[in-house]
């Protein structure tokens, strides 16, 4: 089915509710021209007169009008007005694009994202399209998501029995977005039986979300604690071995962070783009060595002359910390610099509807555990560790 001039005019002009109905009808039998016209509406690139619709396109540096059906160039009269899309229409356009993605994309991740977008803006008029997509969908996860979309779309049905069935189906989705939909319906609901079903569904979702909140809190604590563990490990060894309160310890970690930033810049400038994901692996030894070098210079140049005088070492290292901060501001500027995640650390692992564990934080926790195990082996199993333990116990 090809886009017709009447359909284009119905989608572009009139009351918002009528435009949405025309849009949903066109999407059910959409072709490439329908898809292009919907994108033009999203981009605010459509003008109309009383009897004509124009799609504005930039070709060869000049914006001209074209027929949405034939793509023939048209002269746009001065009386043509821009199509204005309110929030209702923009939501319908986004949903239409998601529906077209579901029907055309071969990428399962893209289709799942489109189904999630539809779940956030359900509409009963889209049920025939959802069922059409469901009939041809083979991926189990996407089918389950589309079932939820269909149920959410029935929440506003005129049939109370359908609303009760929709609430029961949505109670199986332990997701904050689903709870929001149920609460919105509950605000407008007048039927006691439907209200009871909505309350039951919300209570069921709340029970699952509580565990998600607890998991998020525990994971956040472990993630932050792993960073603090690395900082505390260095402070504990420095004070236990040397008897020095190192006020510049945070600045030594800062040196390692800026060494990582510089490695990122080297990979971006001098190596192929496909190698960028490995910059973080290369930055680990570089950042450790950079911090160790500055620490060695600090010990040999200042601290060695102040052993046994903790107050003097505290004041000296505090002054050095200020100097290092100013040095970094001078070299890199006062603004924060960004260190990008490599592709293999982007995204996350979804456990529950409200629990998504980012890969970068998971990697930080694993790295902290590996460093702790390495330090335990070094101090407990090696000759150097024996010396460290001996001096710590009896200087």
């Amino acid at each position: 089915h090809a886009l017709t001039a009447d359909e284009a005019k119905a989608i572009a002009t009139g009351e918002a509710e009528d435009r949405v109905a025309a849009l949903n009808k066109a999407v059910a039998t959409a072709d490439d021209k329908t898809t292009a016209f919907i994108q033009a509406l999203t981009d605010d690139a459509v003008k109309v007169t009383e009897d004509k619709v124009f799609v504005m396109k930039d070709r060869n540096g000049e914006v001209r009008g074209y027929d949405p059906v034939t793509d023939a160039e048209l002269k746009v009269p001065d009386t043509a007005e821009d199509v204005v899309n309110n929030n209702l229409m923009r939501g319908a356009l986004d949903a239409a694009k998601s529906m077209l993605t579901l029907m055309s994309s071969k990428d399962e991740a893209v289709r799942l994202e489109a189904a999630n977008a539809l779940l956030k803006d359900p509409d009963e008029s889209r049920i025939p399209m959802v069922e059409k997509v469901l009939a041809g969908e083979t991926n189990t996860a996407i089918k389950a998501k589309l079932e939820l979309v269909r149920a959410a779309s029935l929440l506003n049905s005129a049939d109370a029995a359908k609303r009760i069935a929709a609430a029961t189906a949505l109670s199986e989705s332990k997701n904050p977005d689903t709870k929001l939909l149920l609460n919105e319906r509950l605000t407008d609901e007048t039927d006691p039986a439907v209200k009871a079903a909505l309350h039951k569904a919300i209570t069921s979702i709340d029970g699952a979300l509580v565990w998600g909140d607890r998991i998020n809190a525990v994971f956040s604590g472990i993630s932050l604690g792993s960073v603090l563990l690395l900082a505390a490990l260095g402070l504990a060894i420095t004070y236990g071995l040397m008897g020095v309160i190192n006020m510049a310890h945070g600045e030594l970690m800062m040196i390692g962070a800026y060494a990582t930033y510089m490695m990122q810049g080297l990979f971006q400038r001098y190596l192929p783009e496909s190698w960028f994901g490995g910059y973080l692996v290369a930055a680990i030894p570089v950042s450790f060595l950079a911090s160790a070098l500055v620490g060695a210079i600090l010990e040999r140049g200042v601290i060695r002359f102040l052993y046994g005088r903790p107050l003097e070492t505290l004041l000296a290292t505090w002054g050095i910390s200020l100097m290092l901060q100013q040095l970094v501001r001078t070299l890199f500027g006062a603004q924060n610099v960004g260190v990008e995640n490599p592709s293999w650390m982007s995204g996350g692992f979804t456990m529950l509807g409200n629990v998504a564990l980012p890969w970068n934080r998971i990697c930080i926790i694993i790295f902290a555990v590996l460093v702790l195990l390495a330090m335990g082996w070094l101090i407990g199993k090696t000759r150097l560790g024996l010396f460290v333990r001996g001096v710590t116990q009896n200087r």
Side-chain angles (χ1 to χ4, degrees):
H1 174 77
L3 179 69
T4 65
D6 289 339
E7 282 180 338
K9 186 177 180 182
I11 296 171
T13 61
E15 297 296 328
E17 291 79 4
D18 297 332
R19 292 175 61 194
V20 169
L23 174 63
N24 291 338
K25 182 179 178 181
V27 169
T29 54
D31 65 344
D32 291 340
K33 290 180 180 178
T34 309
T35 303
F37 184 59
I38 291 172
Q39 185 60 53
L41 284 167
T42 304
D43 297 336
D44 295 324
V46 178
K47 291 179 177 290
V48 293
T49 60
E50 289 185 1
D51 60 346
K52 200 69 177 175
V53 178
F54 306 88
V55 174
M56 309 306 294
K57 298 180 182 179
D58 185 349
R59 292 182 177 174
N60 300 322
E62 185 177 353
V63 179
R64 300 177 182 178
Y66 294 85
D67 190 297
V69 177
T70 64
D71 202 33
E73 185 175 341
L74 301 172
K75 179 176 176 57
V76 182
D78 295 337
T79 56
E81 298 180 354
D82 292 326
V83 173
V84 178
N85 299 311
N86 60 14
N87 290 337
L88 174 63
M89 191 63 195
R90 289 196 177 277
L93 289 170
D94 290 339
K97 290 195 294 183
S98 298
M99 188 63 66
L100 291 171
T101 299
L102 280 167
M103 291 190 290
S104 61
S105 177
K106 303 297 183 184
D107 190 327
E108 292 183 348
V110 172
R111 296 206 307 279
L112 182 59
E113 184 179 352
N116 283 323
L118 285 174
L119 183 58
K120 294 179 181 179
D121 185 26
D123 191 313
E124 189 176 4
S125 64
R126 302 190 193 112
I127 291 178
M129 292 182 286
V130 173
E131 291 178 340
K132 178 181 176 181
V133 176
L134 261 172
E137 184 57 61
T138 57
N139 183 281
T140 305
I142 299 175
K143 288 188 74 170
K145 189 66 67 174
L146 288 173
E147 292 284 358
L148 290 175
V149 172
R150 180 168 59 182
S153 301
L154 287 172
L155 272 180
N156 295 317
S157 173
D159 188 339
K162 289 183 178 180
R163 298 202 299 276
I164 292 174
T168 303
L170 289 172
S171 67
E172 300 299 322
S173 172
K174 314 305 182 184
N175 189 292
D177 292 333
T178 306
K179 178 185 173 183
L180 178 61
L181 291 173
L182 291 168
N183 277 318
E184 289 175 349
R185 179 63 243 175
L186 183 61
T187 303
D188 301 327
E189 186 57 60
T190 57
D191 188 295
V194 180
K195 275 190 172 184
L198 290 169
H199 278 297
K200 183 178 179 181
I202 292 170
T203 302
S204 174
I205 293 174
D206 280 338
L209 293 183
V210 165
W211 283 105
D213 292 338
R214 291 171 180 170
I215 293 172
N216 279 326
V218 171
F219 180 76
S220 296
I222 294 174
S223 176
L224 179 59
S226 63
V227 177
L228 297 178
L229 172 65
L230 293 177
L233 189 61
L235 282 171
I237 293 174
T238 302
Y239 183 74
L241 183 62
M242 303 167 64
V244 172
I245 302 174
N246 183 11
M247 294 294 291
H249 186 72
E251 281 63 38
L252 294 181
M253 297 184 70
M254 174 189 70
I255 295 298
Y258 275 95
T260 303
Y261 170 72
M262 293 182 67
M263 285 299 298
Q264 172 188 265
L266 291 174
F267 269 67
Q268 287 176 330
R269 178 170 297 183
Y270 298 110
L271 293 176
E273 185 177 352
S274 59
W275 289 29
F276 181 75
Y279 91 87
L280 195 59
V281 177
I284 291 174
V286 171
S287 60
F288 272 85
L289 290 173
S291 296
L293 177 61
V294 175
I297 294 172
L298 175 62
E299 195 279 334
R300 301 307 293 173
V302 178
I303 294 177
R304 64 180 298 193
F305 303 109
L306 300 174
Y307 282 127
R309 291 184 283 175
L311 181 60
E312 282 84 346
T313 56
L314 186 150
L315 292 173
T317 54
W318 180 59
I320 291 170
S321 73
L322 298 178
M323 293 172 61
L324 290 175
Q325 290 178 33
Q326 189 56 48
L327 176 64
V328 167
R329 287 194 183 98
T330 302
L331 294 176
F332 299 98
Q335 300 297 321
N336 291 336
V337 297
V339 178
E340 298 179 22
N341 276 339
S343 58
W344 50 272
M345 281 181 63
S346 300
F349 167 67
T350 302
M351 285 184 60
L352 298 173
N354 63 330
V355 179
L357 309 182
W359 289 123
N360 57 352
R361 289 195 175 192
I362 293 174
C363 289
I364 289 172
I365 294 171
I366 294 173
F367 180 72
V369 171
L370 291 176
V371 171
L372 182 63
L373 293 175
M375 286 302 302
W377 173 81
L378 179 68
I379 293 175
K381 301 295 183 180
T382 66
R383 185 175 177 82
L384 173 61
L386 180 63
F387 291 160
V388 170
R389 285 183 284 126
V391 174
T392 301
Q393 293 175 18
N394 188 345
R395 291 185 58 81

